[in-house]
Every structure is written in C-alpha cells, then in structure tokens.
C-alpha cells in the first residue's frame, strides 16, 4: 500500500494538527473497507445462509441485491445531504447505521430479517461513501497529499472487494456465516472513534434549501427497473412482459427524475457539474470500469467452480492474481497522478485492463489455470491503476461546495456499472458458460478501450484547467 499522505507536509497551525495526520485517512478507509467488503464477502456464505435460515433462491438473491440497490439508489441523495449537513455528520451517521445493521444481520433469526438488515446496511453505505471523499478532500488540502490519499482510498476498495471471497470462505469454514457480519462491529467501532477524534469537520452548505425527495424516489425506481430487467432477462428472456415492464419502469423513472430535477430549487444532481468535460468523462469511465471488472469477478468464480470444480475457498484463492496487484496499482496511481495528473494512469490502466479481459478468450473446460494468471493480474492492475486517478479527476473537476454531490455521482455510476456488469454478464452465460464468458470479456474489454479513448480526449494533463 502507498505511504500515507502528507506525512511530509508542513507543520499545521495550532489547533489543526489532525489536518496533516494519517489518522483521518485511516478512519475514512476503515468505514469504506466495510462498505465494499460487504458487497463480495457474502457471496461465499450464501449456500450456508440458505441452509441455516431455510431460505430459497429468491431470498438469497435479495440478501445480495437488496444491499447493492439501496446503496446505489441513495448515493445521490446522500451526497447532497452531506453537502447540506456537513460531511463529518453524515459520515458518522452512516457508520453508526451500518454497524448497527451489521449486528442485525449477524443475529437475524430468519431470512426476512436478514434482508431487512441488509437494506439498512445499504443506507449506511450510501451515507458513508460520498462523505468519505469529501472528508479526504478537506483533510488533505495539498494536491499531492490528496492524490496519495485517493490512491490509498482506491487501494482499500480493491482490497476489500478482492479479499471478500477469500475472507468469507475462511470465516464460513471457521466460526460460521454470522461471523461475516460480526466482523464489522469492532471495525465500525474503531472507525467511529477515529472519526470523532481526528477527522476535521468541513463546512456545510446550509444556504441550499431542502432535499428533493420526489426526484430521489424517481431515481431509485429507475435504477431498480434497470437492474431488475437486466437480471431477469437471463432467465425469462428479453421480451418477457416482466422484463419489458422493468425497463419501462426504468425509462419512466429516468424521465421523471430529469423533469423533477430541472424544476427543483435544490437538485440532487446539480447540472453545473456536467459542464466540466473531465467530470462527465470520469463518471462514464467509472461505469465502464466497474462493469467490466466486477462482471469478470462475478463470472470467474462460476467458471472455476462449475468447469474446474473448485471449492468456494479454493476459488477465492484462485482469484488472488486479480486482487493481489491492487495495492501496487493503486499506490502507483497515487504517485503518477500527483506527478502527471490523472490522464496518464487512466489511459494506461484502461488499456492494460482491456488486455486482461481479452486474455480470457482462450478460457475453456480444459484450459490450465496458469494460462489465466496473467489476464487476471492485468485486469486487476489496470483497474487499480485507473480508479484512484479517475477519483482524483472527478474531485478536481467539481467545485468544493459540491464535492459531496460529485462523489455521489461518481460512486453511483460505479455501483450502477457493477450491477450492470453482473446482470449483463450473467445474462450472457445463460445459454452456455464458455461462449457467454467469451462474449462477456469482449464486451468488457471493448468498454475499457472506449473508456481509455474518453480519458485521452477529455481528462486534462497536470496543470491544465478541467
């Protein structure tokens, strides 16, 4: 992992010692680690959860999808909330909600209670993530230190996502599936203590009027329709009335959202954000990046378990080439971004990631594992190199007073990308795992190349205006 930022910074004025301390970064990253870990750690535990709580497939799907949908659907709302009430207040609220909901998950006596607790976890995650970036921007005002902080933040995301299956397998094989959620309790308590004591409080923008709840409901409905339609298309077909109805809900929700936002005195999605080409391009890049990488992380375990008959724990370790390089890639991204600006690491990372995705084309029932090590490493390294740089590009392009909303847009785009990647890639393998896998990696690799072209065209060099 890259060294913690700003340890070399000038001595802070009296009363602002924490401003140049690594402790704010540690507090934010502990919370963010829990958020991303809980996206992937549960997957390995699902069969055991189903047995223990007598849950069917539908209930288990809600255990996974309920968290992600609430997380993605409320990000814009919670980003605006952070700008209005202050990032520290909202981050602490999110930490508290997430930690308490984790206790509810661990103690759930039935799958219905577990699903409800996961929905509340999604709310806590949505409160934390936009505020986390706003807090880092405030805690590390020096551009170089801030770029390194974003590099560490991106490293934490990759490590949490990648270690989730391995950690989940170890916990399920040892203490049991409830320990997957109990793990969040000490981590959440430590993050709360560090945040209260060491994270500076950025100014809130209290001049903006209330929250745009109708637009929030429209956005959530649109996202739910999009994800639901893509997921169900694999089993029901693209022309099934339920699938078409889900897409109609998506379209209606999107139209309603745009209409309401244009008439709102305090829109969740300030239109001025998209006047900066670097911001708009980075938001699209976040969607394409997560769609390709997390779509691959969804299909790779299916490939290893169904075709090579790996256990869940062995599958987790088999994915280590994709996640073991995350720390190196993110650390390098932080240093390169500080020196050259975000464009170079973004373009290089996306091209390398595309090569990694295309490298899965030889995968088949008899393909040796060694053949896939380099493609997995390239996909993981390219993603790790791109994500911190694109985060920095988004935050640099956004006005300071809208940092929470900017972070929310970027992270909502990433979560939408993850959901779409899993849904679309899963639909492609419905007719056969190997041909579907090949089609998926071609689609994902093409998306990476498109993102590289956007970065080369719209992301400025260091010192150039956004």
């Amino acid at each position: 992992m890259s060294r913690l930022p700003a340890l070399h910074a000038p001595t802070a004025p009296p009363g602002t010692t924490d401003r140049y301390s690594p402790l704010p970064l540690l507090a934010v990253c502990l919370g963010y680690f829990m958020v991303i870990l809980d996206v992937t750690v549960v997957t390995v535990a699902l069969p055991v959860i189903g047995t223990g709580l007598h849950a069917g497939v539908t209930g288990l799907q809600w255990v996974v999808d309920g968290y992600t949908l609430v997380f993605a659907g409320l990000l814009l709302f919670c980003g605006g909330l952070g700008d209005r009430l202050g990032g520290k207040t909202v981050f602490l609220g999110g930490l508290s909600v997430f930690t308490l909901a984790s206790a509810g998950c661990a103690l759930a006596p039935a799958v219905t209670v577990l699903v409800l607790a996961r929905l509340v976890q999604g709310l806590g995650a949505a409160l934390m993530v936009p505020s986390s970036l706003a807090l880092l921007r405030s805690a590390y005002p020096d551009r170089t230190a801030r770029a390194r902080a974003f590099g560490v933040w991106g490293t934490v995301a990759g490590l949490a996502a990648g270690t989730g299956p391995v950690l989940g397998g170890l916990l399920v094989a040892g203490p049991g599936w409830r320990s997957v959620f109990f793990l969040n309790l000490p981590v959440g308590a430590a993050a709360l203590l560090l945040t209260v004591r060491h994270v500076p409080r950025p100014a809130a923008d209290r001049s903006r009027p209330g929250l745009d709840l109708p637009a929030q409901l429209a956005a959530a409905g649109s996202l739910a329709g999009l994800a639901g339609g893509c997921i169900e298309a694999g089993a029901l077909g693209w022309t099934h009335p339920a699938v078409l109805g889900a897409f109609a809900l998506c379209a209606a929700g999107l139209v309603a959202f745009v209409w309401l936002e244009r008439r709102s005195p305090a829109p969740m999605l300030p239109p001025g954000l998209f006047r900066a080409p670097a911001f708009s391009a980075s938001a699209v890049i976040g969607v394409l990046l997560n769609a390709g990488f997390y779509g691959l992380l969804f299909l790779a375990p299916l490939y290893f378990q169904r075709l090579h008959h790996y256990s869940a724990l062995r599958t987790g370790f088999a994915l280590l080439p994709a996640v073991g390089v995350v720390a190196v890639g993110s650390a390098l991204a932080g240093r390169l971004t500080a020196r050259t600006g975000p464009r170079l690491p973004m373009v290089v990372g996306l091209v390398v990631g595309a090569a990694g995705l295309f490298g899965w084309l030889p995968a088949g029932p008899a393909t040796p594992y060694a053949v896939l090590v380099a493609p997995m490493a390239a996909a993981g390294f390219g993603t790790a190199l791109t994500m911190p740089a694109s985060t920095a590009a988004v935050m640099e392009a956004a006005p300071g007073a809208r940092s929470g909303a900017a972070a929310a847009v970027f992270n909502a785009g990433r979560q939408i990308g993850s959901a779409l990647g899993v849904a679309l890639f899963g639909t492609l393998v419905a007719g056969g795992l190997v041909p579907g896998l090949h089609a998926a990696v071609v689609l994902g690799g093409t998306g990476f190349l498109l993102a590289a072209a956007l970065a080369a065209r719209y992301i400025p060099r260091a010192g150039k205006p956004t």
Side-chain angles (χ1 to χ4, degrees):
M1 187 177 292
S2 62
R3 64 182 175 184
L4 297 179
L7 296 180
H8 60 284
T11 302
T16 60
T17 305
D18 288 341
R19 194 170 183 81
Y20 296 103
S21 166
L23 293 177
L25 177 61
L26 178 60
V28 168
C29 286
L30 281 175
Y32 191 46
F33 181 85
M34 291 193 301
V35 167
I36 302 302
L37 182 71
D38 271 46
V39 175
T40 59
V41 72
V42 177
T43 56
V44 174
L46 284 176
V48 181
I49 292 174
T51 301
L53 298 182
H54 308 288
V57 174
T58 301
L60 295 179
Q61 285 178 316
W62 272 107
V63 170
V64 177
D65 294 342
Y67 175 81
T68 304
L69 286 176
V70 173
F71 183 15
L74 293 179
L75 275 170
L76 289 175
F77 175 80
C78 293
L81 191 67
D83 287 337
R84 291 171 176 86
L85 302 182
K88 184 172 181 177
T89 299
V90 173
F91 185 77
L92 285 171
L95 267 176
S96 301
V97 169
F98 191 93
T99 304
L100 291 173
S102 297
C105 291
L107 299 172
V111 69
T112 303
V113 178
L114 178 58
V115 169
L116 290 174
R118 287 284 285 172
L119 295 175
V120 178
Q121 269 193 321
L123 169 61
L127 287 167
M128 273 194 282
V129 171
S131 300
S132 69
L133 286 174
L135 289 178
L136 288 183
R137 178 171 179 161
S138 175
Y140 302 105
D142 176 74
R143 180 179 177 274
T144 300
R146 187 164 59 245
R148 288 180 175 148
F150 288 149
V152 175
W153 187 85
T155 301
V156 167
L159 288 176
T163 58
V166 178
L167 183 59
L170 290 171
L171 291 173
V172 170
W177 70 265
R178 295 182 188 274
S179 63
V180 168
F181 300 106
F182 273 129
L183 176 66
N184 290 333
L185 303 188
V187 177
L192 280 166
L193 178 63
L194 287 170
T195 302
V196 169
R197 297 189 60 180
H198 298 289
V199 174
R201 186 180 297 275
D205 183 9
R206 300 190 182 278
S207 62
R208 299 181 70 190
L211 299 170
D212 197 352
L213 294 178
Q216 170 59 51
L217 292 175
S222 180
L223 289 177
L226 179 62
C230 290
I231 290 170
E232 294 298 329
L236 302 177
W238 291 96
T239 58
H240 191 277
V243 174
L244 295 177
F247 288 135
L249 173 64
C250 171
L254 179 60
V255 171
F257 176 76
V258 173
W259 186 83
L260 290 167
E261 285 287 274
R262 292 185 64 181
R263 287 157 177 77
S264 173
M268 290 187 302
L269 193 60
L273 287 176
F274 291 95
R275 295 193 185 109
F279 178 87
S280 299
S282 296
V284 174
I285 289 168
V287 174
L288 296 173
L289 183 70
N290 271 40
F293 183 66
Y294 285 97
L296 177 64
L297 284 184
F298 173 74
L299 290 187
L302 294 178
Y303 170 80
F304 287 128
Q305 291 184 39
R306 293 184 180 179
L307 295 186
H308 292 274
H309 308 292
Y310 286 7
S311 67
L313 184 57
R314 186 180 179 186
T315 298
F317 282 105
L319 295 174
L320 283 177
V323 300
V325 296
V326 165
V328 176
S330 295
L332 181 60
R335 292 189 175 94
L336 281 176
T337 302
R339 293 177 184 175
T340 70
R343 183 165 77 171
L344 177 62
M346 289 174 73
V347 173
V348 173
L350 288 162
V351 171
V352 171
L357 287 166
F358 289 130
W360 275 78
L361 286 174
T367 304
Y369 171 76
V371 173
L372 301 174
V373 170
M376 282 192 287
F381 180 80
T383 301
L385 192 64
T386 305
M387 186 52 64
S390 59
T391 302
V394 163
M395 299 308 289
E396 293 293 339
R402 298 292 181 265
S403 57
V409 171
F410 181 62
N411 283 285
R414 288 180 56 199
Q415 294 305 316
I416 292 169
S418 299
L420 287 178
V422 170
L424 290 174
F425 284 22
T427 299
L428 289 172
V429 300
L433 183 55
V434 172
L437 173 63
H438 292 168
V441 295
V442 169
L443 181 63
T446 303
F448 267 50
L449 292 179
L450 174 59
L454 289 173
R457 174 65 179 85
Y458 293 109
I459 304 301
R461 296 186 181 93
K464 295 288 181 94
T466 58

